[in-house]
Amino acid sequence: MKKFLIADSHSIVRTGITYLLKEEFLNIEIDACSNGNTVWEKIKTNSYDLAILDINMPGTDSINLLQNIFAFCPDLKILILTTSREEIYARIYLQLGVKGFINKDADDAEIRKAIITTLNNKKYLSPGMHVIQRLEATKRGPLSLFNRLSPRELEVMTHLLEGKNVSQIANLLCAHTSTIGTHKAKILQKLGVTNIIELKEFTQLFNHTGLGTTKLVS
Amino acid sequence: MKKFLIADSHSIVRTGITYLLKEEFLNIEIDACSNGNTVWEKIKTNSYDLAILDINMPGTDSINLLQNIFAFCPDLKILILTTSREEIYARIYLQLGVKGFINKDADDAEIRKAIITTLNNKKYLSPGMHVIQRLEATKRGPLSLFNRLSPRELEVMTHLLEGKNVSQIANLLCAHTSTIGTHKAKILQKLGVTNIIELKEFTQLFNHTGLGTTKLVS
DNA sequence: TCGGCTATTAAGAATTTTTTCATGGCGATC
DNA sequence: GATCGCCATGAAAAAATTCTTAATAGCCGA
């Protein structure tokens, strides 16, 4: 008997994963949720063999959530579901303690493999992400630019790239506007850009070169 | 016997929809694909009762694809899968001839409803999108979106898209900052976006598809 | 252990932007 | 030729952001 937690803001994705799990395992129990608060409630009151989490759920401070989770339950196996755009942040999450990273672009067979591997308490990364690790090892290359950003800064950046303004982000992360303002300034400074448009173009550059991506065009 | 086409870059989403359809209909055939080229090949050689398409498949020019599809097969029922961020472009797709729009955030029941409604050749919009439909009623084609900007506003927009701020533009155009500020507000309002990032994404949509023959950058 | 470094936080002041409102100009229309 | 709608313009008030400056905490190498 295995027990799973699935968190993704898209119902259709939860449905897809549910069926994948049902095909793979005979005797399972599945909890599904669509936001960080529910994830936290579920994890506090249940014991899971594996939690499969989207890291970009609206209104959710994922890093904070993961920190809470690992403080409460250090051995929980967590498999992160991600889109290619978010892979640049992979290292931060790995450091926090997640077991695996799987890209939503992956086919079902690969997702199955990721689930089984992490369930067996082994680390799993999407194929395309070994590039990231390698680049990171050389400590050079454009990706290390993103590594220069602290977890909090990365978090703020994702919100900035969605068009949120400083006050909205402050609200979301329960921080002072001037705090977020400071983060924003440091992000721009570290990445060598001067405004949001340039930040947007900069990150798009990576999406286009396929540097942080598994498959952009198939 | 119903025949469906599912196109989404995420395998897990295709899996989810496949199971939804299998639950809903007894006798069905499903083709699935993950990019625009395959969609086009499939539609040229098959006849579908409904095509469920993601409009944001990497490497795919969705507007061009839809134009080709409707030229070849004007009566094909198409249900667009979208994320909330993309909804601002909904009216363009509606004008092209798609039957429905469903947000990926929607729960399974609503997705079912969207599928059934469009299959019955009725228009379906996600609950939040009726605002957009009203906007469409006051209408004019996608090309005129930029035509609705006054010359001065277009000029300001090109500078905004280069990352210049309001005062820099004011300097450049020898105008008061508050004047430029007003122009900026009107640009955002007219194009139905709420911030610079969305403006950038919006114009990129047209650059990408070539639909925006209006000069965007001087 | 100490001192330097960085991350995170934010109060307060200075600045910029947004919002709101009002004005004059210009062309179309009736 | 009066009125209407739209454009371009900004003054003024309101809101948001940036620019300091600095406190606290954690990490790392000497």
Side-chain angles (χ1 to χ4, degrees), chain B residues 92-141:
Chain B
I92 294 159
Y93 291 93
L94 287 170
Q95 282 179 337
L96 286 173
V98 307
K99 269 277 166 300
F101 247 79
I102 181 79
N103 194 297
K104 281 184 186 173
D105 291 334
D107 61 30
D108 289 5
E110 204 192 304
I111 296 180
R112 273 203 189 85
K113 198 170 148 197
I115 290 171
I116 293 167
T117 307
T118 48
L119 203 50
N120 288 332
N121 212 22
K122 289 182 197 137
K123 197 169 264 191
Y124 185 93
L125 294 182
S126 297
M129 291 179 57
H130 297 102
V131 179
I132 291 166
Q133 199 188 21
R134 236 194 345 272
L135 278 174
E136 192 207 354
T138 66
K139 70 143 180 99
R140 245 177 269 186

Side-chain angles (χ1 to χ4, degrees), chain A residues 11-15, chain B residues 16 20 23 106-113:
Chain A
S11 160
I12 196 68
V13 172
R14 298 195 299 275
T15 303
Chain B
L20 272 192
E23 275 179 7
D107 61 30
D108 289 5
E110 204 192 304
I111 296 180
R112 273 203 189 85
K113 198 170 148 197

Side-chain angles (χ1 to χ4, degrees), chain A residues 5-29:
Chain A
L5 178 66
I6 301 174
D8 193 289
S9 55
H10 294 156
S11 160
I12 196 68
V13 172
R14 298 195 299 275
T15 303
I17 295 172
T18 300
Y19 277 104
L20 272 191
L21 291 173
K22 281 185 181 165
E23 276 179 6
E24 191 68 33
F25 303 100
L26 285 177
N27 191 12
I28 59 172
E29 193 182 328

Side-chain angles (χ1 to χ4, degrees), chain B residues 188-201:
Chain B
L188 298 182
Q189 181 216 318
K190 282 183 177 179
L191 299 183
V193 295
T194 62
N195 56 58
I196 294 289
I197 292 286
E198 282 182 3
L199 177 66
K200 177 89 180 171
E201 286 172 350

Side-chain angles (χ1 to χ4, degrees), chain B residues 40 43 64-76 96:
Chain B
W40 180 230
I43 284 178
N64 188 27
L65 174 64
L66 285 173
Q67 284 174 330
N68 288 337
I69 289 174
F70 284 121
F72 177 78
C73 181
D75 295 327
L76 179 62
L96 286 173

Side-chain angles (χ1 to χ4, degrees), chain A:
Chain A
M1 170 64 157
K2 301 252 176 250
K3 197 164 175 185
F4 294 92
L5 178 66
I6 301 174
D8 193 289
S9 55
H10 294 156
S11 160
I12 196 68
V13 172
R14 298 195 299 275
T15 303
I17 295 172
T18 300
Y19 277 104
L20 272 191
L21 291 173
K22 281 185 181 165
E23 276 179 6
E24 191 68 33
F25 303 100
L26 285 177
N27 191 12
I28 59 172
E29 193 182 328
I30 298 174
D31 281 346
C33 46
S34 61
N35 65 75
N37 289 339
T38 320
V39 169
W40 180 231
E41 293 302 322
K42 289 281 182 188
I43 284 178
K44 269 198 303 189
T45 54
N46 293 273
S47 175
Y48 295 101
D49 294 287
L50 179 66
I52 303 170
L53 308 181
D54 177 14
I55 49 169
N56 194 18
M57 290 177 286
T60 299
D61 178 346
S62 295
I63 290 181
N64 187 28
L65 175 65
L66 284 174
Q67 283 173 331
N68 288 337
I69 289 174
F70 285 122
F72 178 79
C73 181
D75 295 328
L76 179 63
K77 294 162 212 156
I78 293 184
L79 174 61
I80 298 284
L81 267 180
T82 168
T83 69
S84 53
R85 304 162 55 84
E86 293 150 0
E87 286 185 350
I88 51 176
Y89 319 131
R91 194 185 60 114
I92 301 295
Y93 290 93
L94 288 170
Q95 279 179 337
L96 286 173
V98 307
K99 269 279 167 299
F101 246 79
I102 181 79
N103 193 297
K104 282 184 186 172
D105 291 335
D107 62 30
D108 288 4
E110 204 191 303
I111 296 179
R112 273 204 187 85
K113 200 170 148 195
I115 291 170
I116 293 167
T117 307
T118 48
L119 204 49
N120 288 331
N121 211 21
K122 291 183 195 136
K123 196 169 266 188
Y124 185 92
L125 294 182
S126 298
M129 291 179 56
H130 297 105
V131 179
I132 292 175
Q133 294 253 310
R134 208 174 55 245
L135 278 173
E136 192 201 346
T138 68
K139 280 286 175 201
R140 226 181 303 144
L143 281 172
S144 66
L145 282 172
F146 290 104
N147 287 341
R148 286 236 177 83
L149 298 185
S150 70
R152 194 60 158 175
E153 286 163 353
L154 275 171
E155 195 169 19
V156 170
M157 185 174 84
T158 59
H159 293 300
L160 287 172
L161 290 174
E162 285 168 7
K164 299 197 182 82
N165 67 25
V166 169
S167 343
Q168 287 171 321
I169 298 170
N171 229 20
L172 205 65
L173 303 185
C174 298
H176 203 272
T177 54
S178 60
T179 306
I180 305 300
T182 306
H183 287 316
K184 178 179 173 183
K186 286 214 104 182
I187 291 163
L188 297 182
Q189 180 218 319
K190 282 183 176 179
L191 298 183
V193 295
T194 62
N195 56 55
I196 294 291
I197 291 287
E198 282 181 7
L199 177 65
K200 176 87 181 173
E201 286 171 350
F202 183 76
T203 56
Q204 281 179 346
L205 211 64
F206 291 96
N207 288 336
H208 285 324
T209 55
L211 256 176
T213 61
T214 314
K215 299 175 230 172
L216 277 184
V217 182
S218 29

